[in-house]
């Protein structure tokens, strides 16, 4: 990112790294026998909301899905599919403990050599200070064709500053 992250950002990155390890971002595998309650990095009621049209969600019908359910669903899917993330960019909120990753997901069946799905995503992570420290309290996935489109979502939907910039970033299973 060019400049040294502050301590709050380091804590946030550690939480997102734990998320990545429990949701198959690093190796494409989820072991459901490990990390059962996920409270080492998330609040008890943390949910993931996929905004239309992701996950076949209809506009206005988006709802948060508890992350334990998301994890179970992904564990099944990752047995058959290989997921790669390309063109990763990141933006940190300048005053709150939140971040957004933009990346292009390319998915293919493990037995085939070609992608069957390409989806550009803005992955927004918000946090909450709890009695045991900072924890992820919500994750939102939005369809965003470019980092600029992701920036517009952050400004319009979350009130992030208009001056916000995304920087190229490689992490969490990205191959770019």
């Amino acid at each position: 990112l060019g400049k040294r992250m502050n301590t709050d950002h380091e804590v946030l990155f550690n939480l997102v790294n734990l998320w990545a390890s429990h949701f198959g971002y690093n190796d494409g595998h989820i072991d459901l026998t490990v990390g059962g309650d996920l409270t080492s990095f998330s609040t008890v009621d943390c949910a993931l909301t996929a905004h239309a049209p992701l996950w076949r969600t209809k506009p206005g019908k988006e709802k948060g899905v508890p992350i334990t359910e998301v994890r179970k669903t992904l564990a099944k899917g990752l047995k058959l599919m290989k997921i790669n993330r390309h063109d990763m960019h990141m933006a940190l909120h300048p005053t709150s403990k939140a971040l957004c990753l933009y990346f292009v997901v390319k998915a293919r069946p493990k037995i085939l050599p070609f992608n069957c799905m390409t989806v550009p995503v803005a992955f927004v992570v918000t946090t909450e200070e709890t009695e045991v420290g900072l924890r992820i309290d919500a994750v939102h996935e939005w369809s965003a064709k470019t980092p600029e489109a992701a920036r517009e979502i952050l400004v319009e939907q979350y009130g992030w500053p208009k001056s916000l910039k995304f920087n190229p970033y490689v992490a969490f299973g990205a191959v770019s």
Side-chain angles (χ1 to χ4, degrees):
L1 292 175
K3 59 184 175 185
R4 176 88 174 118
M5 289 183 292
N6 67 34
T7 303
D8 288 339
H9 288 147
E10 289 176 13
V11 171
L12 175 59
F13 272 45
N14 289 338
L15 294 174
V16 174
N17 276 321
L18 283 168
W19 175 283
S21 70
H22 283 81
F23 284 80
Y25 280 53
N26 301 321
D27 61 5
H29 176 74
I30 296 174
D31 183 352
L32 293 175
T33 64
V34 176
D37 69 5
L38 311 178
T39 59
S40 64
F41 61 89
S42 68
T43 60
V44 174
D45 58 347
C46 183
L48 184 145
T49 302
H51 294 270
L54 298 175
W55 297 21
R56 299 183 182 149
T57 306
K58 298 198 183 327
K61 302 288 184 187
E62 298 96 341
K63 65 175 189 155
V65 177
I67 62 171
T68 53
E69 289 180 35
V70 171
R71 195 163 173 260
K72 287 176 191 172
T73 301
L74 285 174
K76 290 176 192 171
L78 288 175
K79 289 179 182 175
L80 303 173
M81 302 295 286
K82 178 170 175 52
I83 306 291
N84 285 315
R85 291 164 190 83
H86 299 266
D87 192 24
M88 189 169 285
H89 289 72
M90 182 182 62
L92 291 166
H93 192 284
T95 59
S96 72
K97 298 169 191 124
L99 67 74
C100 179
L101 293 171
Y102 165 84
F103 47 83
V104 178
V105 174
K106 293 188 178 187
R108 68 173 179 84
K110 286 186 176 180
I111 60 171
L112 297 175
F114 56 86
N115 295 325
C116 63
M117 181 176 73
T118 300
V119 181
V121 175
F123 180 84
V124 182
V125 176
T126 60
T127 60
E128 176 181 306
E129 193 64 50
T130 71
E131 63 277 353
V132 292
L134 193 67
R135 296 293 184 263
I136 296 171
D137 71 334
V139 173
H140 292 265
E141 290 185 347
W142 294 82
S143 177
K145 292 187 189 271
T146 64
E148 176 58 25
R151 188 191 70 76
E152 289 173 12
I153 289 167
L154 293 173
V155 170
E156 293 170 12
Q157 300 296 323
Y158 296 94
W160 287 32
K162 290 181 181 181
S163 61
L164 177 75
K165 296 210 180 336
F166 274 85
N167 295 301
Y169 190 70
V170 178
F172 316 118
V175 294
S176 56

